[in-house]
Amino acid sequence: MNSLVQRIFSTKLITIVILTALLNSGSSFIYAEEDPGNIPNQPHDYNKFICGTRADHALHLKSILSHAENVKRLSKIQLAPSVSADFDDGDVAVMVDDGTLLIPPGSNPFDLDGLTLLFTPNGSGGYDVATVEFTFDASLGTNLFAGDDTNHEFNLTGGFSFPFFNSTRTNIWVRSNGNVTFGAVGNPSFFDPADFGLELPMIAAFFGDLDPSAGGGVFAKEEVTKFTVTWNAVPEFGVSNTNTVQLVLNDDGSFQITYNGIGMV
């Protein structure tokens, strides 16, 4: 990977989320949510911050990244000149793919597995992000016996608190779907992608439809200087895979996310 240190410029950040880059991209993109509002469209620079939840970006984010990666893919392949094999079959126009029309399946793997990312508050009101030495605490803490789409509330009383966007957080909701929220939860009944668009303080370590009732478990551990949440070997809903992610909240307002075995594609 190229440098992951990227400055997030928004001063109204609510949610931090990691979205992966695409195959052979050499880097990963960091996305952050800002308060909704009417922000004029800007040309997309694939190497800079893009808000993942603005209304004009949310519906197109995947296609933006896919297009960028496909441009790179096409630059690396050489196609022999050929006579077009396109033809009409009655009222149907048939286009034969010569390798440039469709993006091959499986070309968007998760590229952060085996890495630890450290998010550090900066003077611009956002976070600086860097890869650090891989760290995974194997002492997972308390098994929450989480089920599918469950939420578990922690009112911290052991001395730990987490500074997060100008507020000191002591009420944390650990959610089975790979995220934590502060002070409240979104949809309490099922995995709802719209939760990411809420004005709800959230850190989404691995925002997906995970199902601890089918395997693995969700664990939490409170210490004086940190609070650790681990989604350990949890499968995606309805899929036979396992995903292990660990989120550590530090009392200085920084936090780190470690990916230690990701099966979700």
Side-chain angles (χ1 to χ4, degrees), residues 168-229:
T168 299
R169 313 288 180 174
T170 58
N171 177 261
I172 300 176
W173 287 86
V174 176
R175 312 185 71 194
S176 64
N177 288 318
N179 64 86
V180 300
T181 57
F182 302 93
V185 295
N187 191 320
S189 303
F190 58 88
F191 174 68
D192 189 351
D195 279 358
F196 184 51
L198 299 176
E199 294 185 54
L200 175 67
M202 170 190 289
I203 298 178
F206 195 68
F207 194 79
D209 192 1
L210 301 179
D211 184 6
S213 70
V218 181
F219 298 78
K221 181 170 63 173
E222 180 184 355
E223 300 174 82
V224 174
T225 61
K226 61 184 178 180
F227 184 81
T228 302
V229 181

Side-chain angles (χ1 to χ4, degrees), residues 62-77:
K62 184 176 181 180
S63 62
I64 290 170
L65 292 177
S66 296
H67 173 71
E69 180 56 27
N70 198 40
V71 170
K72 294 178 182 179
R73 178 183 70 88
L74 294 178
S75 69
K76 296 177 181 179
I77 63 175

Side-chain angles (χ1 to χ4, degrees), residues 243-261:
N243 304 277
T244 297
V245 182
Q246 188 168 81
L247 169 66
V248 180
L249 308 179
N250 299 309
D251 60 0
D252 63 358
S254 67
F255 60 93
Q256 65 187 44
I257 303 173
T258 297
Y259 299 97
N260 192 24

Side-chain angles (χ1 to χ4, degrees), residues 114-175:
L115 295 179
T116 297
L117 306 180
L118 176 64
F119 292 74
T120 305
N122 59 42
S124 300
Y127 285 81
D128 292 327
V129 188
T131 53
V132 295
E133 182 180 358
F134 179 84
T135 303
F136 184 84
D137 186 354
S139 178
L140 303 182
T142 302
N143 190 338
L144 304 183
F145 296 101
D148 184 31
D149 304 320
T150 56
N151 305 282
H152 305 266
E153 184 179 14
F154 287 81
N155 290 302
L156 305 181
T157 59
F160 173 79
S161 62
F162 181 59
F164 192 57
F165 293 111
N166 301 317
S167 295
T168 299
R169 313 288 180 174
T170 58
N171 177 261
I172 300 176
W173 287 86
V174 176
R175 312 185 71 194

